[in-house]
Amino acid sequence: TLLFVALGALLAAATASDTCTASQCGATPSSDNEKLFLPTAPLIDRLHAMLAARVPRPGGPLFVGGVAGSGTRSVISLLHSLGVHAAGDTRWDSRIGLSGQNLHCQRSLDYQVEDLAWDVRERTIGGLQRELENYLGDFPFENHCYGEPKRVCDCGCFDEEVPIKKFVDANLPWGCKQPESFLVVPFLQQMFPNGTYVLVVRDGKDSALSSSSRDQLACGKTVTEQDTVASWGRVNRELVSWAEKHAYGDSFFVLRTEELVDAESVPRLIPIILRILSSMGISSNTTAVSAALATLRGTCLGSDTTFSSQTAGFKAASAYGKWRAQRELFSNLTTEAREALTDFGYHDH
């Protein structure tokens, strides 16, 4: 554990929270009559305000995770373009995922490591250490361009072909994207006390239409789309509950992936992204973050027409708001599922 705490130590620097209006950020109002999400997300806003009032512990690595298909690739690409040295997935060993799945299926994700059985602790910590040693080793950045040139597909593609360890050794900001990491957040905090975690959330109804999300949340059972929304709400609420009790200032953030495609959300996103960067010792500003968001929207999130049919098909499968074409599947959501959707700022109809 001490080895990884040392590896995770990075330079800390402060940056002022910068804000702007939609026009100042270069945003174009959405033409969609029914927005993908609600303008406020009570649970997210409360968490961010609470953590902002706590003493930050900057200087650790960044982990980006969330329910499968939430948009973690887009978030790590955005942060990479703003100075976080990162690769794609960490080549996560399936045993780590299974260990996390067992935790999710058997108990709340709002847990403390010391409360778990000894064998679960040892298996999970050992697996994480092996995977992070590989990640910090000698293999180059992974390419997630789906066969497209990097100049066309900036999303998930990384220019450097050098090991992450080079940046760790140079005491530079580094991080990784691994969706399943949301299952082991307390372990990551124990291994990297100064680290930053970004939980990526996507509308639970869209997630329920994704087979990867359903499989991840089903715990081996046969489930309906409505069951998946309920599980989506439970695990995300549990993670926020854990963060409210145990996270340090600016060490845990929640980003709604739909806001990345909505130009009107730029003024809301910029202060949050600046805080994420600041927690890693990266100084940035409104102009840089606004430009990075515009690039992300133009190349990764639905507005670029130069993609091949293969990539276009991938983007269509990841379309936001696709649940609207199948509203009948969500006509009998539980009260808990509806409340969770509202907590995270989504329509429940």
Side-chain angles (χ1 to χ4, degrees):
T1 299
L2 292 176
L3 169 64
F4 287 94
V5 172
L7 287 174
L10 302 173
L11 292 174
T15 187
S17 180
D18 215 346
T19 59
C20 59
T21 64
S23 60
Q24 289 170 338
C25 290
T28 302
S30 172
S31 60
D32 191 355
N33 290 327
E34 183 184 1
K35 290 183 69 66
L36 292 169
F37 49 89
L38 301 172
T40 61
L43 202 62
I44 300 175
D45 296 341
R46 185 182 75 205
L47 174 68
H48 288 172
M50 177 184 297
L51 293 184
R54 296 180 183 174
V55 176
R57 298 177 64 173
L62 170 79
F63 293 93
V64 176
V67 172
S70 292
T72 54
R73 182 181 293 113
S74 295
V75 171
I76 196 65
S77 298
L78 172 70
L79 296 174
H80 170 263
S81 72
L82 291 166
V84 178
H85 299 284
D89 290 3
T90 53
R91 298 183 177 180
W92 217 248
D93 188 303
S94 62
R95 287 172 296 179
I96 299 174
L98 288 172
S99 177
Q101 284 292 115
N102 289 335
L103 289 174
H104 147 58
C105 295
Q106 297 173 10
R107 62 180 299 144
S108 168
L109 291 180
D110 180 7
Y111 64 89
Q112 287 289 81
V113 173
E114 56 268 24
D115 295 334
L116 302 177
W118 178 86
D119 61 325
V120 174
R121 297 199 307 268
E122 292 298 303
R123 183 172 64 250
T124 304
I125 291 173
L128 283 169
Q129 288 179 334
R130 286 191 299 273
E131 291 310 306
L132 288 168
E133 285 172 353
N134 290 336
Y135 186 71
L136 299 174
D138 295 328
F139 71 86
F141 286 70
E142 294 189 69
N143 188 314
H144 286 292
C145 276
Y146 306 99
E148 292 295 332
K150 290 185 180 181
R151 62 179 177 80
V152 174
C153 173
D154 294 327
C155 181
C157 300
F158 305 93
D159 295 332
E160 302 98 331
E161 293 188 351
V162 292
I164 290 286
K165 191 174 185 297
K166 172 183 176 180
F167 302 114
V168 177
D169 291 343
N171 209 26
L172 294 172
W174 66 275
C176 66
K177 163 247 180 186
Q178 176 48 250
E180 283 184 333
S181 63
F182 81 92
L183 297 165
V184 289
V185 171
F187 284 94
L188 294 174
Q189 187 201 56
Q190 184 181 88
M191 297 171 73
F192 298 95
N194 295 349
T196 299
Y197 193 86
V198 177
L199 174 65
V200 184
V201 176
R202 180 182 181 183
D203 190 327
K205 300 183 297 299
D206 276 346
S207 291
L209 296 175
S210 163
S211 59
S212 58
S213 299
R214 287 199 304 273
D215 291 344
Q216 185 181 59
L217 297 173
C219 296
K221 302 175 183 177
T222 300
V223 296
T224 66
E225 288 79 7
Q226 294 183 135
D227 295 331
T228 302
V229 176
S231 296
W232 168 93
R234 180 178 67 82
V235 298
N236 283 308
R237 277 175 145 184
E238 289 170 355
L239 285 166
V240 171
S241 175
W242 176 88
E244 287 178 328
K245 289 181 284 190
H246 304 295
Y248 303 108
D250 282 356
S251 66
F252 192 99
F253 296 87
V254 182
L255 290 180
R256 294 186 294 179
T257 190
E258 290 86 356
E259 291 186 289
L260 299 177
V261 305
D262 180 61
E264 292 180 348
S265 296
V266 171
R268 171 187 167 90
L269 278 176
I270 285 180
I272 299 171
I273 293 169
L274 286 173
R275 282 173 56 187
I276 294 172
L277 296 172
S278 177
S279 75
M280 303 192 68
I282 299 173
S283 178
S284 190
N285 55 60
T286 291
T287 301
V289 175
S290 180
L293 284 166
T295 299
L296 189 73
R297 289 196 304 273
T299 58
C300 304
L301 299 172
S303 59
D304 192 310
T305 59
T306 62
F307 282 70
S308 68
S309 57
Q310 178 187 9
T311 306
F314 170 81
K315 287 163 66 179
S318 302
Y320 301 110
K322 59 185 179 181
W323 65 270
R324 291 172 176 165
Q326 303 182 65
R327 292 174 187 266
E328 69 281 357
L329 295 176
F330 306 102
S331 59
N332 293 309
L333 293 172
T334 64
T335 299
E336 290 77 9
R338 292 184 182 277
E339 290 175 348
L341 287 166
T342 300
D343 277 345
F344 287 96
Y346 294 110
H347 299 278
D348 64 0
H349 57 275

